[in-house]
Structures are given as C-alpha cells and as structure tokens.
Amino acid sequence: VQLQASGGGSVQAGGSLRLSCAASGRTLSRITTGWFRQAPGKEREYVADIRRSGSGGTTHYADSVKGRFTISRDNAKNTVYLQMNSLKFEDTAVYYCSATDRHLAGLMIRADDYTYWGQGTQVTVSS
C-alpha cells in the first residue's frame, strides 16, 4: 500500500485545514486508516482512525482533538481526509497517515498497530 499525505500548511490559531491521504495498491474501505502526528522532540501521537466499511466504518479520536477534527473517507477517490477545525498552537506537528490490514475490536492507537505509512505533511499553527 502506498499512502500519499497532503494538505498541510501554516494557519493562525482558530483556523482550519484539511489533510488528504490518497492510497494506491489497496482499497481503503477494506482496511483501517489512521492519522498520527509528531511534534519536535515528542513521540508520534495518535490522532484519529476510521475502520473498514465491513466493521461499520466507525471513527475514533484522541481526546485532544475530539470535537475539532473529523476523519472521513471518500471511497470513490480511495482517499481519507482529516478535517481540522479550531486549530491550536499545540496541534503543530508533522501529520502522518497510516493503514493496516489488522482488524481489532478495541482501540488502535499505537503506531505499532499500523503497517503502512505515508511521508508526512507539516501543519504549523501560529498563536
């Protein structure tokens, strides 16, 4: 699976950005796709995931982004999106999309849960 993340940029606090994760080699609706982020000097952090359609396509979020970020999938474009609203300075990081063939009933918040990774896209929020 090849994942291509895009859509990052620089915004002021309170602004919005939409990240895209385009896939080739696998149909995203059949696997779980996640977003992680990594700020300088910090470990990679889970942001959100969307499960395969066969598992209901359910979405999950880290508490820090719940209510502000929305993960979604366009099956026709084989792309997953991360809509980020009300951005805060602390959202500044490199954002990575990821995917896995694993299907777990519980949380999938560890980087080790995911097999495939995109190259990352920088999001910078100025206060």
Side-chain angles (χ1 to χ4, degrees):
V1 180
Q2 304 262 348
L3 301 174
Q4 181 73 36
S6 62
S10 297
V11 295
Q12 290 190 330
S16 298
L17 282 174
R18 189 179 77 158
L19 306 183
S20 300
C21 177
S24 59
R26 194 68 57 88
T27 302
L28 288 183
S29 63
R30 297 182 178 180
I31 60 177
T32 292
T33 308
W35 285 97
F36 285 74
R37 65 187 181 185
Q38 189 166 18
K42 294 188 177 181
E43 293 188 354
R44 196 164 293 192
E45 174 189 36
Y46 167 83
V47 176
D49 74 82
I50 182 167
R51 304 299 170 92
R52 60 176 181 167
S53 295
S55 297
T58 54
T59 59
H60 307 84
Y61 300 92
D63 287 343
S64 59
V65 306
K66 201 171 293 183
R68 300 188 298 120
F69 291 10
T70 302
I71 189 170
S72 62
R73 182 171 58 221
D74 185 329
N75 293 337
K77 295 183 178 180
N78 205 30
T79 299
V80 166
Y81 301 99
L82 185 68
Q83 178 66 44
M84 305 186 297
N85 298 329
S86 302
L87 282 162
K88 304 176 181 179
F89 175 76
E90 51 264 40
D91 294 320
T92 296
V94 177
Y95 283 70
Y96 297 90
C97 64
S98 57
T100 180
D101 298 302
R102 300 179 67 190
H103 302 298
L104 301 177
L107 298 176
M108 295 184 70
I109 63 174
R110 302 180 310 135
D112 288 346
D113 290 332
Y114 296 82
T115 306
Y116 311 107
W117 292 85
Q119 83 288 4
T121 185
Q122 176 71 46
V123 172
T124 302
V125 185
S126 57
S127 56

